[in-house]
């Protein structure tokens, strides 16, 4: 017999797991060859690459943005060349902040 307090916790964990799987499934549906994604971001939104980095499993993470409209998009390009949209939004700003000094308050 399970403890009555464990049942709500189990339901909560199951809901979180299902929502994470749903979000992952949605993200995988918004993928296309990189050249098509880059062209669409440039043509439709005026966005160009602002930064780039290497993520897990050699995935290339890029931030595209339009400095005139403020729109931005984060993409991940997998090793197979498919680029997936991860996030997008408004009010993009370029920052050049120095890293905090070790031991100082953030």
């Amino acid at each position: 017999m399970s403890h009555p307090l464990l049942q709500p916790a189990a339901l909560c964990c199951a809901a979180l797991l299902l929502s994470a799987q749903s979000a992952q499934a949605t993200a995988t549906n918004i993928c296309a060859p990189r050249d098509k994604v880059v062209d669409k971001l440039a043509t439709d939104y005026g966005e160009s690459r602002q930064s780039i980095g290497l993520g897990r499993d050699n995935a290339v993470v890029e931030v595209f943005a339009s400095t005139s409209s403020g729109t931005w998009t984060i993409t991940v390009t997998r090793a197979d060349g498919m680029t997936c949209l991860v996030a997008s939004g408004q009010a993009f700003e370029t920052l050049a902040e120095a890293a905090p000094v070790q031991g100082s308050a953030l």
Side-chain angles (χ1 to χ4, degrees):
M1 181 189 245
S2 66
H3 192 279
L5 291 178
L6 294 179
Q7 290 175 346
L11 291 174
C12 180
C13 289
L16 288 173
L17 180 60
L18 288 174
S19 66
Q21 288 174 341
S22 174
Q24 184 178 14
T26 301
T28 58
N29 292 333
I30 309 173
C31 301
R34 185 181 183 283
D35 59 336
K36 291 185 179 190
V37 172
V38 171
D39 182 58
K40 181 113 175 122
L41 292 174
T43 303
D44 292 1
Y45 301 98
E47 295 181 6
S48 62
R49 186 170 59 190
Q50 303 295 313
S51 62
I52 186 171
L54 193 58
R56 185 176 53 175
D57 297 328
N58 292 321
V60 177
V61 180
E62 297 171 285
V63 177
F64 292 84
S66 169
T67 56
S68 59
S69 70
T71 62
W72 57 267
T73 305
I74 299 174
T75 65
V76 172
T77 302
R78 303 183 314 226
D80 66 1
M82 292 298 285
T83 298
C84 301
L85 303 179
V86 176
S88 63
Q90 303 286 328
F92 177 80
E93 293 184 35
T94 301
L95 301 176
E97 296 178 346
V101 177
Q102 189 173 357
S104 66
L106 297 176

